[in-house]
């Protein structure tokens, strides 16, 4: 969701760029505005030039760092960079993903694979001399495994398979690769389709993802084609990791390819790498995240749910590799672990969310000793990667001043920002962002984030946009909070306050807090949001008559609920891929078991009345709030019928303006550049019309696109981008 201004490169794929495309910041120890070492950011607010506030056009251009992987020697960091396609200029589609490499000592960053590419799955050769990655390059029928030398040169295909590679793991000696790929389609189906028989058997003909092993030559002199052997492992594989000895694999499998199974029923199997024989079965209790071998191969570390009803994987657990009891290394932790790394066979590093901040800690394998290495309160960090000697760590990190960039830290030191993917952003005027806390009506302390209006005047009250996160097993961090679906700095630049509540059931505050919505869907969790709005009104910042709400998925559900059940409190709403009818949601979603196990804890037939009364359509008759509804037409998670039901019930009642926008080809959120840009503009216009403008009748369904006009003035566009 993070995009940028610069035109995509049109160079040959695989070439090492001669010029630096990302301005690298010096590796230094200055302390930035976030309290951590952030080279070049220390005086960011003061240094910003008056290029005006952030605009939707700017948001469409923002680049963002994705995967970050440090080399075994710690001298270089490979990372992916999301480069958006520009609406009305490039062929429409999702952002491109390029491969870049940072030299840690010099701070220089080079583009290794750039242009119209989609690079994923970065890895390093064991000696650090080359980078491996997945991509479907020109001439490829499917996604394959490539290698490119660190010293320079072209990419070479290492491995192609009869279907696309989903993910892979290099053996410790770099001579074999274990990879995941789906089974090939039944050729009979293609033959029947040619005859007009295009029957789809729902949920029963999904292809399984299997584990394969093939030899590889990291020098790039040979391509492994047709040499892979299938391991006879039951289930649908979603992850595979080599043991340090190279003799075993840890394989994550679910019973079927169904999304519900991938959420709730992933389990670990220890497998002999030669025969595929299952040596041990590890039955984690619920949702499962990262799995990692200890350096001696005796243990597995994992990020797991606490139990089958835990909404999110976030417990740091260790288990003997031969099988046995799982040990929670931080029992009662009031946060959520995101990434783990074995520092040695007796110590585990972990990156975790604690409230709106992230922390880095380490704990002994028996849980007896624990210490915090990076305290909460600075850059929001993700994607921990550590060099072989444990002395160099790389992260992706964002702050209220910038989207995700590469950060590097020496062990015991503070993370330093090393890249600047959006240098033009320094010319934009950004509004202050702060953590806020309030007391809910039942006494619970709740927190969130607030972007104050740009150029705020003391004593003046401002319109407010509440942006509600999805999940609800998610949360907002004190980082960059602006995207195509989040109004953030764009709205603040136009005189809005923007509020991001981490209501009960959010992550980042431990298991008990995340379970507080169980059997109480749309109860205390959405009351928390209303109470947070009241807090901002009491502080004198917000005009209570000009409050709007928006959000996607579960945030779309909150929007639908707050604009119906609490219609008297909200003057505008923009609902995105949201829920309107909890009864039909169960029957049309691909995650009905997940909804039951980690949230509702009821089936509709257990209490039809409860499901009905917690549905926004039940309260549609009392709505007076203008509502804009948007949905991807191919959404499998929240069926587009949910938006149709909301629209139809409101329109039939005729008490509030309502509009429904469908995005063909989009799913649970927009991926393509034009659809993102359109939604961003419509969301902002709806809020301005009803919270700042005349209100009343809906604005025209037709919309003006500033980038379309710029495309008609090529000389001005070119000048603006140079």
């Amino acid at each position: 969701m993070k995009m940028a201004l610069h035109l995509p490169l049109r160079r040959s794929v695989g070439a090492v760029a001669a010029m630096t495309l990302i301005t690298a910041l010096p590796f230094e120890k200055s302390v930035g505005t976030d309290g951590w070492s952030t080279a070049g950011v220390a005086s960011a607010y003061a240094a910003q030039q008056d290029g005006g506030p952030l605009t939707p056009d700017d948001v469409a251009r923002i680049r963002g760092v994705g995967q970050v992987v440090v080399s075994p020697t710690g001298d270089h960091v490979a990372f992916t960079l999301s480069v958006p396609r520009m609406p009305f200029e490039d062929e429409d589609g999702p952002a491109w993903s390029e491969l870049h490499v940072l030299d840690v000592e010099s701070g220089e960053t080079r583009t290794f694979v750039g242009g119209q590419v989609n690079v994923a799955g970065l890895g390093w050769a064991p000696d650090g001399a080359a980078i491996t990655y997945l991509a479907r390059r020109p001439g490829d029928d499917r996604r394959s495994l490539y290698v490119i030398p660190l010293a320079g040169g072209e990419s070479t295909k290492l491995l192609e398979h009869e279907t696309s590679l989903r993910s892979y793991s290099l053996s410790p000696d770099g001579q074999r690769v274990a990879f995941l790929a789906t089974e090939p389609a039944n050729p009979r189906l293609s033959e029947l389709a040619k005859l007009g028989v295009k029957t789809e058997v729902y949920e029963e003909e999904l292809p399984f993802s299997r584990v394969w092993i093939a030899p590889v030559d990291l020098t790039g002199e040979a391509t492994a084609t047709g040499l892979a052997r299938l391991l006879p492992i039951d289930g649908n594989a979603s992850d595979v990791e080599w043991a340090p000895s190279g003799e075993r694999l840890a394989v994550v499998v679910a019973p079927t390819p169904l999304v519900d199974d991938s959420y709730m029923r992933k389990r670990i199997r220890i497998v002999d790498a030669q025969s595929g024989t299952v040596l041990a079965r590890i039955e984690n209790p619920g949702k499962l995240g990262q799995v990692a071998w200890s350096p001696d191969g005796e243990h597995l570390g994992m990020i797991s749910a606490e139990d089958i009803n835990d909404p999110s994987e976030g417990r740091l657990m260790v288990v003997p590799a031969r099988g046995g009891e799982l040990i929670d290394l931080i029992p009662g932790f009031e946060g959520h672990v995101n990434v783990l790394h074995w520092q040695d066979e007796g110590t585990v590093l972990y990156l975790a969310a604690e409230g709106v901040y992230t922390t880095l800690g380490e704990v002994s394998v028996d849980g007896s000793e624990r210490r915090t290495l990076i305290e909460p309160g600075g850059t929001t960090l993700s994607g921990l990667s550590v060099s072989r000697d444990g002395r160099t760590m790389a992260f992706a990190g964002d702050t209220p001043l910038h989207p995700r960039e590469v950060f590097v830290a020496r062990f015991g030191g503070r993370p330093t920002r090393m890249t600047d993917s959006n240098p033009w952003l320094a010319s934009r005027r950004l509004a202050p962002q702060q953590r806020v806390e309030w007391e809910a009506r039942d006494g619970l302390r709740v927190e969130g984030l607030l972007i104050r209006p740009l150029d705020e005047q003391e004593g003046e009250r401002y319109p407010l946009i509440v942006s509600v996160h999805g999940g609800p097993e998610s949360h907002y961090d004190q980082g960059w909070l602006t995207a195509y679906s989040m109004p953030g700095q764009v709205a603040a630049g136009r005189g809005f306050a923007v509020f991001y509540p981490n209501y009960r059931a959010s992550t980042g505050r431990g298991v008990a807090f995340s379970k507080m919505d169980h059997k109480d869907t749309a109860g205390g969790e959405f009351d928390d949001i209303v109470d947070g709005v009241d807090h901002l009104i009491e502080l004198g910042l917000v005009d209570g008559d000009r409050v709007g709400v928006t959000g996607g998925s579960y945030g779309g559900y909150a929007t639908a609920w707050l604009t119906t059940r609490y219609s008297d409190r909200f003057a505008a709403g923009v609902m995105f891929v949201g829920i309107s009818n909890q009864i039909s949601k169960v029957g049309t979603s691909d995650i009905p078991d997940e909804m039951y196990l980690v949230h509702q804890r009821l089936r509709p037939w257990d209490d039809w009345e409860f499901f009905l009364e917690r549905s926004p359509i039940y309260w549609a008759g009392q709505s007076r709030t203008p509502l804009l509804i948007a949905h991807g037409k191919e959404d499998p998670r929240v069926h587009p019928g949910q938006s149709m039901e909301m629209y139809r019930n409101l329109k039939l009642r005729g008490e509030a303006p309502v509009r429904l926008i469908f995005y063909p080809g989009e799913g649970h959120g927009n991926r393509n550049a034009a659809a993102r840009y359109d939604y961003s503009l419509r969301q902002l216009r709806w809020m301005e019309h009803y919270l700042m403008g005349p209100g009343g009748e809906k604005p025209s369904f037709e919309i003006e696109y500033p980038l379309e006009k710029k495309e008609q003035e090529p000389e001005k566009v070119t000048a603006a981008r140079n």
Side-chain angles (χ1 to χ4, degrees):
M1 294 185 182
K2 305 189 180 190
M3 312 186 211
L5 174 75
H6 308 299
L7 292 169
L9 298 175
R10 309 298 183 191
R11 295 195 318 281
S12 61
V13 177
V16 176
M19 64 176 182
T20 299
L21 293 178
I22 303 177
T23 304
L25 303 177
F27 193 89
E28 59 184 55
K29 295 183 178 180
S30 61
V31 178
T33 56
D34 54 16
W36 289 3
S37 177
T38 309
V41 182
S43 57
Y45 277 116
Q48 284 172 346
Q49 303 299 311
D50 191 2
L54 205 68
T55 69
D57 292 6
D58 291 333
V59 174
R61 299 167 175 141
I62 292 175
R63 299 182 174 198
V65 168
Q67 186 183 7
V68 175
V69 185
V70 69
S71 66
T73 59
D75 297 329
H76 294 84
V77 178
F79 63 96
T80 58
L81 183 71
S82 175
V83 180
R85 309 188 198 210
M86 291 305 299
F88 307 109
E89 180 177 323
D90 297 319
E91 181 181 359
D92 192 34
W96 302 112
S97 178
E98 299 181 338
L99 167 60
H100 296 255
V101 177
L102 165 74
D103 184 307
V104 173
E105 189 62 32
S106 69
E108 178 186 2
T109 303
R110 293 185 297 168
T111 306
F112 270 51
V113 182
Q116 297 183 12
V117 293
N118 281 300
V119 171
L122 302 185
W124 285 91
D127 61 0
I131 301 161
T132 56
Y133 67 91
L134 296 174
R136 181 178 177 178
R137 294 181 54 187
D140 289 342
D141 293 327
R142 59 195 68 90
R143 191 162 75 161
S144 301
L145 179 63
Y146 284 87
V147 65
I148 185 168
L150 179 62
E154 291 290 331
S155 295
T156 303
K157 185 184 294 186
L158 286 177
L159 172 69
E160 63 178 358
H161 190 62
E162 57 185 334
T163 59
S164 288
L165 274 64
R166 298 182 57 199
S167 64
Y168 69 97
S169 176
L170 282 176
S171 62
D173 61 7
Q175 297 181 14
R176 292 169 294 167
V177 61
F179 66 92
L180 305 184
T182 56
E183 299 169 323
N186 184 343
R188 182 170 180 270
L189 297 179
S190 298
E191 293 301 319
L192 288 173
K194 294 176 182 178
L195 299 174
V197 180
K198 301 179 181 179
T199 306
E200 295 182 6
V201 183
Y202 186 61
E203 294 190 341
E204 292 188 40
E205 58 181 5
L206 299 173
F208 277 67
S209 175
R210 303 298 190 187
V211 181
W212 304 74
I213 293 181
V216 288
D217 180 0
L218 292 179
T219 66
E221 295 182 0
T223 300
T225 302
L227 300 177
R229 57 187 176 85
L230 174 67
L231 296 186
I233 304 170
D234 291 335
N236 187 70
S238 59
D239 190 18
V240 59
E241 298 292 338
W242 285 93
S245 66
E247 297 176 352
R248 293 171 294 165
L249 297 166
V251 180
V252 177
V253 295
T256 76
L258 292 174
V259 177
D260 244 343
D261 282 348
S262 72
Y263 274 24
M264 301 306 306
R265 299 181 181 90
K266 286 181 181 176
R267 302 297 181 261
I268 303 170
R269 303 291 179 254
I270 306 302
V271 175
D272 181 271
Q274 183 62 34
S275 66
T277 301
V278 175
L279 305 174
R281 297 173 180 268
I282 297 171
E283 302 298 331
N284 48 289
K287 291 186 176 181
L288 179 65
Q290 181 190 359
V291 176
W293 287 91
S294 63
D296 59 7
E298 292 296 316
H299 292 87
L300 282 175
M302 71 182 76
I303 301 173
S304 171
E306 183 176 86
D307 54 49
I308 191 63
N309 302 124
D310 187 348
S312 180
E313 63 277 16
R315 305 305 96 197
L316 180 59
M317 295 189 177
V318 168
V319 64
R322 62 183 179 277
E325 182 180 354
L326 277 68
I327 301 173
D328 188 341
L329 298 186
I330 323 175
F333 178 49
E334 293 188 359
H336 277 80
V337 175
N338 299 319
V339 189
L340 72 89
H341 172 82
W342 287 90
Q343 188 71 347
D344 53 50
E345 58 268 17
T347 311
V348 180
L349 289 176
Y350 63 91
L351 190 65
E354 294 190 56
V356 299
Y357 304 112
T358 52
T359 61
L360 180 70
E362 67 174 15
V363 61
S364 61
V365 72
D366 62 1
S368 61
E369 297 182 21
R370 176 189 170 205
R371 69 186 181 111
T372 300
L373 303 177
I374 297 178
E375 298 286 347
T379 302
T380 294
L381 299 173
S382 60
L384 169 67
S385 179
V386 185
S387 61
R388 183 179 292 132
D389 64 6
R391 306 304 301 172
T392 303
M393 297 180 287
F395 313 83
D398 59 287
T399 75
L401 296 173
H402 63 80
R404 283 161 55 111
E405 299 287 357
V406 177
F407 282 72
V408 173
R410 301 301 188 188
F411 193 84
R414 296 177 178 272
T416 298
R417 177 179 162 189
M418 300 296 291
T419 59
D420 185 11
S421 305
N422 302 284
W424 56 270
L425 191 58
S427 69
R428 299 298 186 264
R429 298 175 59 237
L430 301 180
Q433 181 174 306
Q434 66 185 77
R435 175 183 175 273
V436 292
E437 185 179 67
W438 66 97
E439 184 176 296
R441 62 193 67 181
D442 61 358
L444 182 71
R445 300 300 298 181
V446 187
E447 66 178 353
L449 295 161
L450 173 69
I451 302 179
R452 304 185 76 93
L454 189 64
D455 300 325
E456 176 186 349
Q457 301 297 311
E458 186 176 355
E460 185 174 343
R461 289 185 178 269
Y462 292 87
L464 175 72
I465 298 176
V466 182
S467 183
V468 186
H469 68 69
E473 61 274 26
S474 178
H475 71 277
Y476 290 118
D477 293 305
Q478 173 66 318
W480 183 256
L481 294 177
T482 305
Y484 85 94
S485 61
M486 296 193 298
Q489 289 288 347
V490 174
R494 300 195 181 202
F496 290 94
V498 188
F499 178 42
Y500 298 85
N502 284 337
Y503 50 94
R504 71 187 70 196
S506 300
T507 51
R509 292 186 59 181
V511 176
F513 189 89
S514 69
K515 286 184 175 181
M516 294 185 76
D517 67 326
H518 287 195
K519 296 186 179 181
D520 190 33
T521 303
E525 54 188 357
F526 295 163
D527 290 346
D528 289 347
I529 298 171
V530 177
D531 295 341
V533 171
D534 284 340
H535 174 67
L536 298 179
I537 294 172
E538 291 168 6
L539 290 178
L541 175 67
V542 169
D543 180 349
D545 293 328
R546 295 189 292 162
V547 178
V549 59
T550 187
S553 192
Y554 208 83
Y557 175 38
T559 300
W561 182 261
L562 295 172
T563 56
T564 54
R565 178 66 178 82
Y566 279 103
S567 180
D568 60 319
R569 300 299 311 277
F570 292 88
V574 180
M575 171 188 175
F576 189 37
V577 294
I579 304 160
S580 68
N581 183 341
Q582 286 289 1
I583 295 175
S584 59
K585 168 68 161 58
V586 172
T588 56
S589 175
D590 58 3
I591 54 168
D593 278 349
E594 197 261 1
M595 292 164 54
Y596 164 68
L597 289 168
V598 304
H599 296 300
Q600 291 159 339
R601 305 291 295 277
L602 296 167
R603 299 291 192 185
W605 50 87
D606 295 327
D607 193 339
W608 291 105
E609 186 174 355
F610 173 82
F611 276 75
L612 181 59
E613 291 183 355
R614 297 302 171 96
S615 298
I617 59 167
Y618 182 80
W619 304 95
Q622 69 181 39
S623 179
R624 303 295 185 271
T625 305
L627 183 64
L628 174 64
I629 306 169
H631 215 123
K633 288 192 75 173
E634 279 64 59
D635 187 351
R637 191 70 19 85
V638 177
H639 193 277
Q642 291 289 310
S643 285
M644 177 67 83
E645 287 193 54
M646 190 69 184
Y647 170 78
R648 188 62 69 201
N649 276 275
L650 289 173
K651 187 172 183 181
L652 289 173
R653 299 280 188 160
E655 300 294 342
V658 60
R659 171 171 292 151
L660 174 59
I661 306 292
F662 279 130
Y663 290 105
E666 299 290 356
H668 197 56
N670 293 348
R671 296 179 65 248
N672 295 315
R676 288 186 167 197
Y677 185 52
D678 179 89
Y679 178 79
S680 178
L681 292 172
R682 289 184 186 277
Q683 178 193 63
L684 186 62
R685 185 180 67 165
W686 193 267
M687 292 297 186
E688 286 188 322
H689 182 77
Y690 286 107
L691 302 183
M692 286 182 167
E697 293 295 321
K698 294 177 289 187
S700 170
F701 66 84
E702 295 183 338
I703 195 165
E704 293 186 2
Y705 301 98
L707 284 177
E708 182 182 25
K709 294 182 178 180
K710 289 182 181 180
E711 176 62 15
Q712 296 170 1
E713 302 172 4
E715 293 183 4
K716 293 183 180 180
V717 174
T718 302
R721 291 177 179 165
N722 288 336

